[in-house]
Amino acid sequence: AIVGTPEHCTHRILELIDCGVDRFILVGPGLHPEAAAPGRTLFASEVVPAVRQVLKDRPGPRVKTIQNI
């Protein structure tokens, strides 16, 4: 699991991509969806754009970026 600040989550996702992970499964929010709303918003508004930007700016072959969020 990846849990933490948007910066931590971004860093960890990029580490996993560097290790060759090319697919992620997002699971949530569990039994209390109303409790997960702030985290879901932060993920969509901060983590996804940050990961996309880093991948876009990297030299070399293009990798598929996060889609459908």
Side-chain angles (χ1 to χ4, degrees), residues 7-30:
E7 294 79 15
H8 170 77
C9 294
T10 299
H11 178 75
R12 188 66 184 125
I13 289 170
L14 292 169
E15 284 181 331
L16 292 169
I17 289 170
D18 289 343
C19 289
V21 175
D22 63 358
R23 288 184 172 61
F24 295 88
I25 298 173
L26 305 177
V27 178

Side-chain angles (χ1 to χ4, degrees), residues 6-7 9-15 17 24 43 46-58 63-66:
E7 294 79 15
C9 294
T10 299
H11 178 75
R12 188 66 184 125
I13 289 170
L14 292 169
E15 284 181 331
I17 289 170
F24 295 88
F43 188 81
E46 295 188 32
V47 177
V48 171
V51 170
R52 282 183 176 155
Q53 188 62 49
V54 170
L55 295 178
K56 178 182 164 204
D57 292 344
R58 284 186 174 179
V63 296
K64 289 185 179 181
T65 59
I66 299 171

